[in-house]
Amino acid sequence: MIITSAEFAKSSEFLDQCPTTGYPEFAFIGRSNVGKSSLINMLVDRRSLAKTSGTPGKTRLMNHFIINEKKKPWYLVDLPGFGYAKISQSERAKWKKMVRTYLEERETLRCTMLLVDIRIEPQKIDLEFAKYLGEDGIPFAIAFTKADRQKPAVLERHLKMFNEAMSENFAEMPNMFVTSAETRLGKDRMLDFIESVINTPMPEKETEEEE
Ligand code: GTP
Ligand code: MG
């Protein structure tokens, strides 16, 4: 897929403030500082479209970026990170409500990218978030980040460990991408995936009737 334009569209604190155009969207979620904003910039080839920072907790709102506005538009959505220790209980509760409401109710959300730092061994908080997405039937893929920062053998070991841990909860594995915002590893594969999802008709909504 060729990205011809990428622009900031809107920041939202609540679901009902999100854009109402109906264009398909892809959300990026993961621990604070995992590289969500950097990965978005890498995909669109823009150095600082999404604000990045060495300080965790930079992204506090849901940020919509509109891609290819003139022709077949879609959105990339930068979500605030989870697991940041230095925030109050009330901020944490607010985050949870904002993000979960968005993930569970946003009708145009086609796939959520759960970002996982591949430099380190599988973290409980990431596995639990994947489990939540799976249990709630929220379509998601895994994007491993910062692959440039670790030796190939260690990456392989971490990938294997992550897969093993995931297989305890998942019969079928989600799509997985190994990426680096530095080297642009994974960019084409990820954009091809996004394109294929955009081109797949939306599944019929399940009705919640009891048998
Ligand atoms: P919050 O918005 O705070 O939740 O963080 P985030 O997940 O958006 O992370 P961000 O993109 O701001 O990146 C955090 C730090 O990691 C920055 O210093 C980035 O430069 C660095 N970083 C992100 N991706 C990569 C990568 O692939 N390789 C390397 N070497 N550094 C990266
Ligand atoms: Mg960010």
Side-chain angles (χ1 to χ4, degrees):
M1 152 146 48
I2 296 166
I3 292 186
T4 51
S5 69
E7 296 299 332
F8 170 75
K10 196 173 188 192
S11 288
S12 313
E13 188 179 352
F14 302 105
L15 180 65
D16 63 6
Q17 297 169 341
C18 289
T20 54
T21 54
Y23 303 147
E25 63 194 45
F26 296 80
F28 289 61
I29 187 90
R31 273 184 309 122
S32 207
N33 223 35
V34 70
K36 298 174 291 295
S37 303
S38 303
L39 185 58
I40 287 178
N41 290 333
M42 184 269 257
L43 290 174
V44 302
D45 257 328
R46 289 272 296 272
R47 199 159 245 294
S48 50
L49 182 66
K51 299 281 170 291
T52 63
S53 165
T55 319
K58 177 78 187 166
T59 313
R60 291 289 178 98
L61 298 169
M62 305 184 276
N63 291 311
H64 277 73
F65 299 95
I66 188 159
I67 313 299
N68 298 352
E69 188 163 9
K70 296 228 163 66
K71 210 178 161 197
K72 261 205 164 191
W74 51 280
Y75 294 105
L76 285 169
V77 188
D78 195 3
L79 297 175
F82 56 78
Y84 179 41
K86 288 190 200 158
I87 60 166
S88 64
Q89 284 294 331
S90 65
E91 279 270 328
R92 202 181 303 271
K94 210 170 112 185
W95 176 91
K96 203 167 170 176
K97 189 149 190 280
M98 176 207 296
V99 172
R100 291 198 172 202
T101 306
Y102 168 84
L103 293 172
E104 290 164 24
E105 296 177 22
R106 180 71 169 161
E107 293 194 346
T108 51
L109 178 61
R110 299 300 306 273
C111 187
T112 297
M113 303 291 176
L114 173 61
L115 274 62
V116 173
D117 188 340
I118 196 60
R119 296 174 306 170
I120 53 176
E121 292 188 356
Q123 304 287 298
K124 198 170 160 217
I125 194 168
D126 295 329
L127 294 163
E128 277 174 359
F129 205 86
K131 191 167 173 233
Y132 152 68
L133 291 169
E135 282 173 352
D136 265 61
I138 300 164
F140 76 104
I142 306 273
F144 296 103
T145 63
K146 309 194 185 186
D148 59 287
R149 288 279 198 86
Q150 193 51 283
K151 294 192 193 90
V154 182
L155 287 192
E156 281 306 318
R157 185 163 61 83
H158 291 168
L159 281 173
K160 195 162 168 256
M161 288 171 79
F162 194 87
N163 267 285
E164 277 167 11
M166 284 283 287
S167 64
E168 285 174 23
N169 294 318
F170 289 85
E172 201 182 318
M173 284 294 163
N175 281 291
M176 295 189 186
F177 303 89
V178 178
T179 73
S180 161
E182 285 286 317
T183 66
R184 299 173 183 223
L185 176 72
K187 181 180 175 209
D188 293 344
R189 258 196 82 213
M190 208 153 177
L191 286 177
D192 286 350
F193 170 74
I194 288 175
E195 186 171 29
S196 73
V197 174
I198 290 174
N199 291 331
T200 306
M202 283 277 265
E204 288 289 317
K205 249 199 152 20
E206 276 176 42
T207 51
E208 292 194 357
E209 277 172 41
E210 297 278 328
E211 294 253 328

